[in-house]
Amino acid sequence: MIDAGRVQEETQERIAIQEFIAGLTVDFPLSEEMSAAARDIQNRVYDHLEFIRTNPDRKIIDWTNTEYALFRAIEHARYGDAIARGFTSVDEFITMANMVLNRRKSRAGKSLEHHLSAIFDGNEIIYTAQAVTEGNKKPDFIFPSQASYHDMTFPTERLISLAAKTTCKDRWRQVINEADRLRDRPKYLCTLQQGISPAQMDEMQSENVILVVPRQYITSYPADRQDRIWTLSKFVSYVREVEGL
């Protein structure tokens, strides 16, 4: 059995992606523009704008998947012919490969931040992205604002920090020291990484780092530690409660 409706939606998505690429005046748009384009395409083709509030876990995965498809299509449009022709030397191949890989890495990290901002905006949450705390420290998100963070009369218990990392690896430790005022408070880390080792999850717990993961990905984590993980929906609800929304 073939879901004709789904096939039609996927065709519409491919058409929308090709139309976007045809309208580009640069090789690659800025990451913020590409993320916004992916959200627009996904929202138009698949609808369910209400998921921004009712199911942000689903929405952020849908947006991320559409952006990945968009990015891959742009890659093919820009590099497909060159790759098909082949390379005259190993150095030429390595140069091309490094350029492609570096662009992929830089895009992925910013993509998650942009989509989280759209989720927060859609839920009327107040926040500062890339806030400066102490020195050159820059948490990805401070709630409700950078100004509130630096206002020593503002209650510390109403301040929240969130880091966004597509993959954690060892970089999660950066989260620990991103905001001195919140050193004794939970630090939240949103990731799309599927599965983290029990030992690493125990380290995170000992440092008071709480993982925020889309609900669909939580089953990939150690079964006896899944109750430590927050869904994005839970995090959004928590921030709204703290902000009195």
Side-chain angles (χ1 to χ4, degrees), residues 176-194:
I176 301 169
N177 298 311
E178 285 183 338
D180 291 353
R181 282 192 70 183
L182 303 179
R183 187 164 291 162
D184 298 323
R185 303 280 301 168
K187 276 74 68 177
Y188 297 89
L189 169 60
C190 183
T191 184
L192 300 179
Q193 182 172 330
Q194 296 188 53

Side-chain angles (χ1 to χ4, degrees), residues 65-214:
N65 288 342
T66 298
E67 183 170 357
Y68 182 66
L70 175 60
F71 185 80
R72 290 292 300 273
I74 297 175
E75 279 187 331
H76 180 74
R78 300 296 181 254
Y79 305 135
D81 290 343
I83 292 172
R85 287 194 302 268
F87 304 93
T88 59
S89 68
V90 172
D91 286 344
E92 185 181 344
F93 166 73
I94 291 173
T95 298
M96 171 70 79
N98 284 337
M99 179 174 62
V100 172
L101 289 172
N102 287 337
R103 182 174 278 118
R104 284 188 177 189
K105 290 175 183 176
S106 62
R107 177 206 64 85
K110 287 296 181 182
S111 168
L112 178 57
E113 293 177 35
H114 298 323
H115 296 320
L116 284 170
S117 289
I119 292 290
F120 300 147
D121 290 341
N123 283 274
E124 302 179 334
I125 287 172
I126 304 168
Y127 66 93
T128 299
Q130 295 299 310
V132 178
T133 52
E134 292 84 15
N136 292 320
K137 298 175 183 177
K138 288 185 179 181
D140 293 316
F141 297 96
I142 284 287
F143 307 87
S145 67
Q146 175 176 302
S148 298
Y149 182 88
H150 289 290
D151 178 0
M152 292 302 133
T153 65
F154 189 86
T156 301
E157 61 271 18
R158 291 177 55 197
L159 293 170
I160 302 168
S161 70
L162 175 73
K165 297 186 183 298
T166 308
T167 58
C168 291
K169 299 182 180 178
D170 289 331
R171 294 181 303 141
W172 69 267
R173 292 183 176 83
Q174 299 168 3
V175 177
I176 301 169
N177 298 311
E178 285 183 338
D180 291 353
R181 282 192 70 183
L182 303 179
R183 187 164 291 162
D184 298 323
R185 303 280 301 168
K187 276 74 68 177
Y188 297 89
L189 169 60
C190 183
T191 184
L192 300 179
Q193 182 172 330
Q194 296 188 53
I196 293 177
S197 71
Q200 195 168 51
M201 288 191 69
D202 290 344
E203 281 189 72
M204 290 180 179
Q205 186 179 48
S206 68
E207 296 290 352
N208 211 5
V209 173
I210 296 176
L211 282 172
V212 178
V213 178

Side-chain angles (χ1 to χ4, degrees), residues 20-28 78:
F20 176 77
I21 294 173
L24 288 175
T25 57
V26 295
D27 277 353
F28 277 85
R78 300 296 181 254

